């Protein structure tokens, strides 16, 4: 896809024909389950595609391909220089297809296209490039021993890694797992979040085009309660790398114990506080706090949803934070277009939203703050002037809310941020996804409210 201008992107998004089949053993294959699920755009609710809903048989086929690729040494026995070259070629292809990846991310997740290009796609390429450079810089060791003995420490690949990632940074968090695993000779079976399956499938296709051996990277889209659980319980998977909610993280640990006692690495949950001391530069602190909680609509694992201030803070802190929030809304894109085009629908605050948020999460927290200095004070003053248009939809008995936003601001349901500061209504249910953002599964990079059930949207397996 050639470089697109700002004006070309809407038409390009409408004309996309994304691949929806699982990617196994170097190519797209028909799912054995025969089932699909709709991938809907949060921007307007339209169905983008019907994605393969992989079942246990599909997961088994992907794991078998990954095991064969690992055991025959088709990658780990390559010279380090050749392995490095393949990964760097993968990086180049990601950069060449940046518009395609960003468009898929934008229409499926709802992320503004400028953010998808600047953060998700660009940082994915940087992450893969970083791990590519570690291939010929990872050494074995000689341990200190008496003169009559020799002890060697060798680093060997583990085997088959199952990766489960969230929706809020679908490409970036996937790269945190897809970078180190092939770099060290492991094969991977990736299960993306069902809300954002399209871009990871393109990522896998580009890896094979770059020269990654068949079977080293497999992608099995599907729902968490089936696909994720099958991956977590598979006896031939040596490790699970998971980013998501604490509830699902614990379930993966249970699955590991009940199957082959595989390793489980989890990034689950995060509610980081922001500490403002008496001698702080308040304008700078207000700007940092506003950025932390509002970036990506707060759908980030390290979103600063709590602020800790002295009992008697300096006057004007809340006002500065409010001004910082307004200033951020006026920022313009790198290409000169407004971040949010003029629209009476882009206002994100309402009394109804606050009531919904309080019903799910309670009032915002401001520890050690005196009365009259709560973190959400400036929000309460503004929201009565910022109406929001909402419409309801029902999915599997759960009530969701979508904002009728323009193409540049529509977003998926929010993460576990302070209800007074989050820009979207929360999902029903408890818990939040990993610190970071993803589906119910996410990595130390995304957060999201999600129900504790296996079938929980976004926080499912």
């Amino acid at each position: 896809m050639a470089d697109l201008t700002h004006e070309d992107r809407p038409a390009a998004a409408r004309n996309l024909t994304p691949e929806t089949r699982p990617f196994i053993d170097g190519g797209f294959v028909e799912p054995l389950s025969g089932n699909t699920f709709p991938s809907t755009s949060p921007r307007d609710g339209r169905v983008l595609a019907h994605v393969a809903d992989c079942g246990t048989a599909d997961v088994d086929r992907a794991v078998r391909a990954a095991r064969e690729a690992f055991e025959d040494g088709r990658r780990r026995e390559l010279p380090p220089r050749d392995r490095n070259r393949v990964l760097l070629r993968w990086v180049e292809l990601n950069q060449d297809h940046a518009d395609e990846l960003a468009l898929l991310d934008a229409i499926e997740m709802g992320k503004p296209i400028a953010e998808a290009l600047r953060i998700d796609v660009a940082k994915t390429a940087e992450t893969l490039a970083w791990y590519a450079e570690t291939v010929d810089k990872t050494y074995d060791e000689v341990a200190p021993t008496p003169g009559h003995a020799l002890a060697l420490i060798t680093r060997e690949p583990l085997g088959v890694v199952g990766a489960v990632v969230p929706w809020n940074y679908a490409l970036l968090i996937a790269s945190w797992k897809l970078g180190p695993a092939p770099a060290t000779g492991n094969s991977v079976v990736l299960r993306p979040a069902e809300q954002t399956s399209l871009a990871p499938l393109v990522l896998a296709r580009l890896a094979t085009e770059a020269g990654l051996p068949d079977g080293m990277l497999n992608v099995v889209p599907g729902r968490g309660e089936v696909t994720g659980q099958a991956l977590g319980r598979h006896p031939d998977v040596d490790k699970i790398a998971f980013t998501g909610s604490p509830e699902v993280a614990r379930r993966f640990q249970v699955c590991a114990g009940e199957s082959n006692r595989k390793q489980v690495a989890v990034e689950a949950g995060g509610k980081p506080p922001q500490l403002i001391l008496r001698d702080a530069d308040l304008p700078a602190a207000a700007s940092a706090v506003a950025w932390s909680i509002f970036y990506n609509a707060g759908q980030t694992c390290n979103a600063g949803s709590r602020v800790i201030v002295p009992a008697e803070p300096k006057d004007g802190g809340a006002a500065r934070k409010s001004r910082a929030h307004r200033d951020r809304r006026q920022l313009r894109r790198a290409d000169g277009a407004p971040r949010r085009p003029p629209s009476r629908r882009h206002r994100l605050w309402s009394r109804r939203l606050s009531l919904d948020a309080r019903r799910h999460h309670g009032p915002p927290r401001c520890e050690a703050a005196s009365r009259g200095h709560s973190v959400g004070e400036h929000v309460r003053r503004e929201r009565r002037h910022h109406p929001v248009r909402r419409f309801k939809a029902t999915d599997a008995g759960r009530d969701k809310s979508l904002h009728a936003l323009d193409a540049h601001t529509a977003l998926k349901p929010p993460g576990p941020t302070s209800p007074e500061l989050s820009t979207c209504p929360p999902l029903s249910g408890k818990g939040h996804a990993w610190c970071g953002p993803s589906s119910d599964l996410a990595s130390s990079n995304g957060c999201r409210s999600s129900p504790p059930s296996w079938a929980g949207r976004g926080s499912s397996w």
Side-chain angles (χ1 to χ4, degrees):
M1 183 178 292
D3 291 341
L4 299 174
T5 65
H6 177 70
E7 291 73 18
D8 295 334
R9 286 169 181 154
R14 288 192 296 270
N15 295 330
L16 281 175
T17 55
E19 180 60 68
T20 60
R21 295 173 295 172
F23 189 88
I24 297 175
D25 203 14
F28 292 103
V29 299
E30 294 297 329
L32 298 177
S33 68
N35 299 324
T36 62
F37 62 88
S39 175
T40 59
S41 173
R43 179 172 64 92
D44 52 15
R46 70 185 178 95
V47 175
L48 301 171
H50 287 84
V51 183
D53 191 1
C54 294
T56 302
D58 297 294
V59 172
D60 186 66
R61 178 166 58 165
V63 172
R64 187 164 58 249
R67 175 60 64 185
E68 292 175 359
F70 174 76
E71 295 296 344
D72 65 18
R74 63 186 69 172
R75 175 160 178 82
R76 72 173 185 271
E77 293 179 4
L78 288 175
R81 185 175 182 179
D82 293 340
R83 284 184 281 151
N84 169 273
R85 185 180 295 117
V86 169
L87 291 180
L88 290 179
R89 176 58 181 157
W90 190 14
V91 172
E92 293 175 0
L93 289 176
N94 275 270
Q95 294 170 335
D96 293 342
H97 291 76
D99 280 312
E100 179 183 5
L101 292 168
L103 282 174
L104 288 172
D105 215 20
I107 65 174
E108 194 176 27
M109 183 209 166
K111 186 184 293 285
I113 185 68
E115 295 298 304
L117 283 168
R118 184 176 65 89
I119 300 297
D120 297 60
V121 176
K123 296 302 181 182
T124 295
E126 288 182 16
T127 300
L128 296 176
W130 191 92
Y131 281 109
E133 295 298 343
T134 67
V135 170
D136 57 357
K137 301 174 183 65
T138 303
Y139 301 98
D140 296 336
E141 298 180 33
V142 178
T145 59
H148 64 278
L150 175 64
L152 301 177
I153 300 173
T154 61
R155 291 178 170 84
E156 300 178 352
L158 184 62
V160 177
V161 176
V164 180
V165 299
W167 57 267
N168 54 339
Y169 295 89
L171 292 172
L172 180 56
I173 295 175
S175 72
W176 298 348
K177 302 165 190 345
L178 301 184
T184 52
N186 297 282
S187 54
V188 184
V189 178
L190 171 67
R191 184 260 165 186
E194 58 262 38
Q195 296 86 353
T196 51
S197 300
L198 302 180
L201 288 168
V202 174
L203 200 65
R205 186 198 77 205
L206 297 178
T208 297
E209 292 178 8
L212 194 69
D214 295 348
M216 293 298 298
L217 173 55
N218 308 274
V219 180
V220 284
R223 303 182 187 274
E225 62 271 23
V226 177
T227 313
Q229 185 169 190
L231 193 60
R233 292 186 177 277
H234 202 287
D236 214 17
V237 173
D238 299 298
K239 181 172 184 173
I240 289 290
F242 167 76
T243 298
S245 68
E247 292 81 5
V248 177
R250 285 191 286 269
R251 289 188 174 97
F252 271 120
Q253 292 172 327
V254 170
C255 288
E258 294 177 347
S259 55
N260 60 341
R261 293 182 293 177
K262 59 177 66 68
Q263 297 182 24
V264 179
V266 300
E267 297 171 291
K271 296 287 285 183
Q274 302 185 81
L275 178 62
I276 301 178
L277 302 179
R278 294 180 185 278
D279 60 349
D281 180 345
L282 286 185
S287 178
V289 169
W291 182 91
S292 172
I293 190 61
F294 288 112
Y295 178 72
N296 206 44
Q299 299 167 89
T300 303
C301 66
N302 57 349
S305 55
R306 293 184 292 148
V307 179
I308 300 175
V309 299
E312 297 179 358
K314 294 179 181 179
D315 294 337
R320 287 189 180 92
K321 184 173 178 182
S322 179
R323 286 196 298 272
H325 171 44
R326 289 196 298 269
D327 291 343
R328 284 189 56 77
R329 293 191 305 187
Q330 299 304 318
L331 293 178
R332 302 181 73 83
R333 303 183 193 282
D335 59 9
R339 181 176 295 276
R340 293 186 174 95
S343 169
R344 52 191 287 264
R345 296 181 297 171
H346 83 280
R347 303 294 188 180
L348 298 178
W349 299 106
S350 71
R351 183 174 300 278
R352 172 68 178 279
L353 172 58
S354 175
L355 293 175
D356 288 349
R358 287 174 179 272
R359 184 158 51 248
H360 288 284
H361 298 287
R365 299 181 59 184
C366 183
E367 300 174 20
S370 63
R371 184 175 182 83
H373 293 283
S374 68
V375 177
E377 179 178 353
H378 68 289
V379 175
R380 289 194 291 272
R381 288 199 301 267
E382 288 189 9
R383 66 176 173 232
R384 65 175 61 93
H385 305 298
H386 293 190
V388 63
R389 296 177 61 187
R390 295 151 53 94
F391 52 90
K392 294 284 186 177
T394 302
D395 180 15
R398 295 179 56 240
D399 197 25
K400 306 191 300 296
S401 297
L402 293 175
H403 292 284
L405 303 179
D406 55 64
H408 298 279
T409 57
L411 289 164
K412 289 273 187 180
T417 60
S418 170
E420 287 289 351
L421 298 178
S422 64
T423 57
C424 298
L427 294 174
S428 59
K430 299 179 179 179
H432 58 273
W434 45 307
C435 84
S438 149
S439 64
D440 287 85
L441 334 149
S443 121
S444 72
N445 315 325
C447 300
R448 164 174 186 159
S449 297
S450 58
S453 66
W454 284 106
R457 179 177 175 85
S459 189
S460 61
W461 283 85

